[in-house]
């Protein structure tokens, strides 16, 4: 899970998430639900879209001068939501939101073709072709409902209850073929992958205070409580040498498992922030402490 690398709401994007004490748009449901009660006018946001250009590069991934790189241009996580009030509850304010908390989709591959006298086991020249492919995808969505209450003219509090949908998948494939002078072919294939989804619940409790020159905030975020979810695992390895490689027999191994119990953990955290106003200037301060997550297994396979 990512905490300070992605930002939600226009003010947060400008200030790099340093808004625990001063957020005054719909991003308050995420950064400090206590501020929702201090938003004077109800708001509705249908879509907030920002685009990013991302470059992933591994230098010398498969030997010297064998770099792997990929460039992606696409949408940044966004959300839809709004605030509303109830006439008989003047000091209460509510908000709803659906947030694309995190998106990751990386596919990186490398391929190489070589011919010549490559292996001493064979007389003459061979042709070798090989490829390696990595695929990583991750998605996390939050569906939230926020309640906020104005305690007095200065202090307000609030709670955001969030249902979390988490999905993750990874895959690594290796293939290679060798054409010998015979001509006969040696072939190898390796494929290992897993996927999982998890549904859970967490909440954020927030307090906000508005003074003459200071806006202050404090929030507590609970760990993720796992509700249900499962995963799948696959492993396949194939080697066929047709007796050409001494001491190595043809082999085929396959292992597929489904409905594996899965779990995801996140830490509890405590955040504080403040904004100081002087003349036409503002100074924003925010800090957050995250608790320790002990080592754990996403899935246990047989």
């Amino acid at each position: 899970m990512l905490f300070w690398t992605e930002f939600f709401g226009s003010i947060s994007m400008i200030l790099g998430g340093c808004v625990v004490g001063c957020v005054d748009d719909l991003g308050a449901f995420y950064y400090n639900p206590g501020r929702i009660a201090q938003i004077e006018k109800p708001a509705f946001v249908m879509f907030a879209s920002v685009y990013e250009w991302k470059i992933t590069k591994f230098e010398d991934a498969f030997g010297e001068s064998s770099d792997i790189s990929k460039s992606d241009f696409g949408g940044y996580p966004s959300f839809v939501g709004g605030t509303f009030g109830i006439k008989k509850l003047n000091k209460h304010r509510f908000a709803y939101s659906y947030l694309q908390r995190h998106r990751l989709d990386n596919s990186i591959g490398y391929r190489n073709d070589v011919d010549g006298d490559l292996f001493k086991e064979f007389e003459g020249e061979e042709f070798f072709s090989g490829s390696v492919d990595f695929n990583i995808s991750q998605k996390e969505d939050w569906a939230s409902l926020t309640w906020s209450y104005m305690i007095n003219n200065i202090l307000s509090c609030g709670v955001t209850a969030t249902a979390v949908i988490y999905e993750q998948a990874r895959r690594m494939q290796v293939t290679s073929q060798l054409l010998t002078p015979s001509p006969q072919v040696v072939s190898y294939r390796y494929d290992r992958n897993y996927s999982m989804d998890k549904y859970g619940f967490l909440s954020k409790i927030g307090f906000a205070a508005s003074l003459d020159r200071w806006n202050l905030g404090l929030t507590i975020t609970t760990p993720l409580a796992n509700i249900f979810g499962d995963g799948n695992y696959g492993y396949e390895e194939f080697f066929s040498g047709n007796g050409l490689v001494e001491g190595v027999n043809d082999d085929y191994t396959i292992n597929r498992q489904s409905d594996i119990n899965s779990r995801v953990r996140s830490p509890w955290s405590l955040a504080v922030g403040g904004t100081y106003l002087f003349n036409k200037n503002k100074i924003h301060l925010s800090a957050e402490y995250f608790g320790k997550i002990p080592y754990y297994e996403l899935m246990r396979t047989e």
Side-chain angles (χ1 to χ4, degrees):
M1 289 189 176
L2 305 177
F3 298 95
W4 280 80
T5 57
E6 296 176 354
F7 313 112
F8 309 98
S10 56
I11 295 176
S12 175
M13 291 179 182
I14 294 172
L15 297 178
C18 191
V19 294
V20 176
C22 70
V23 58
D24 59 2
D25 59 14
L26 257 182
F29 85 91
Y30 179 82
Y31 292 99
N32 189 344
R35 291 281 297 179
I36 292 289
Q38 299 186 27
I39 298 177
E40 296 182 359
K41 296 181 180 180
F44 176 75
V45 175
M46 290 197 64
F47 185 73
S49 182
V50 176
Y51 292 89
E52 66 174 355
W53 182 25
K54 179 173 61 178
I55 299 175
T56 306
K57 183 176 182 180
F58 297 92
E59 294 185 355
D60 300 332
F62 299 99
E64 187 175 352
S65 301
S66 297
D67 299 339
I68 295 179
S69 63
K70 183 181 179 182
S71 176
D72 290 302
F73 180 81
Y76 201 75
S78 58
F79 68 91
V80 58
T83 61
F84 63 96
I86 300 176
K87 290 183 178 181
K88 294 183 179 181
L89 302 174
N90 294 330
K91 293 185 178 181
H92 300 259
R93 180 61 59 81
F94 303 89
Y96 56 92
S97 58
Y98 189 88
L99 170 69
Q100 293 180 355
R101 177 67 180 85
H102 178 57
R103 290 288 189 275
L104 173 66
D105 189 2
N106 271 342
S107 298
I108 299 177
Y110 176 79
R111 182 180 180 87
N112 194 18
D113 299 326
V114 184
D115 56 9
D117 191 1
L118 306 174
F119 299 93
K120 63 181 180 179
E121 290 84 357
F122 308 105
E123 294 184 1
E125 295 186 348
E126 306 89 37
F127 175 78
F128 173 83
S129 175
S131 64
V132 180
D133 293 285
F134 300 94
N135 298 277
I136 302 174
S137 64
Q138 186 173 316
K139 182 177 75 171
E140 183 181 337
D141 291 350
W142 287 17
S144 303
L145 182 64
T146 301
W147 163 82
S148 187
Y149 176 71
M150 201 73 194
I151 299 173
N152 52 43
N153 294 332
I154 296 175
L155 183 65
S156 60
C157 63
V159 177
T160 294
T162 300
V164 179
I165 305 170
Y166 180 86
E167 299 178 2
Q168 179 176 311
R170 300 196 178 195
R171 186 168 203 163
M172 178 181 178
Q173 293 177 298
V174 179
T175 59
S176 61
Q177 300 83 33
L178 176 69
L179 177 62
T180 69
S182 303
Q184 287 181 298
V185 175
V186 178
S187 179
Y188 176 78
R189 181 176 184 270
Y190 172 91
D191 185 347
R192 186 177 184 182
N193 62 85
Y194 77 86
S195 63
M196 60 171 291
D197 55 61
K198 198 68 188 179
Y199 300 86
F201 175 86
L202 59 80
S203 60
K204 185 185 289 284
I205 304 167
F207 298 89
S210 295
L211 307 175
D212 290 339
R213 291 186 175 273
W214 280 97
N215 287 326
L216 304 174
L218 181 148
T219 64
I220 300 171
T221 305
T222 67
L224 177 68
N226 290 273
I227 300 176
F228 63 90
D230 58 18
N232 302 287
Y233 173 80
Y235 176 87
E236 187 174 7
E237 188 173 26
F238 169 83
F239 176 80
S240 177
N242 295 322
L244 296 176
V245 181
E246 185 178 354
V248 180
N249 297 321
D250 291 358
D251 180 65
Y252 180 61
T253 304
I254 185 170
N255 182 357
R256 300 192 187 281
Q257 301 177 41
S258 59
D259 299 325
I260 306 170
N261 184 43
S262 64
R263 60 176 175 172
V264 177
R265 287 186 175 180
S266 68
W268 68 270
S269 68
L270 173 66
V272 294
T275 298
Y276 180 70
L277 295 79
F278 63 99
N279 298 327
K280 295 182 179 181
N281 303 296
K282 295 181 181 180
I283 297 177
H284 304 274
L285 303 170
S286 289
E288 189 164 10
Y289 171 79
F290 296 94
K292 182 179 179 181
I293 300 178
Y295 173 84
Y296 73 97
E297 296 175 331
L298 290 173
M299 301 186 297
R300 178 180 289 273
T301 59
E302 297 180 1

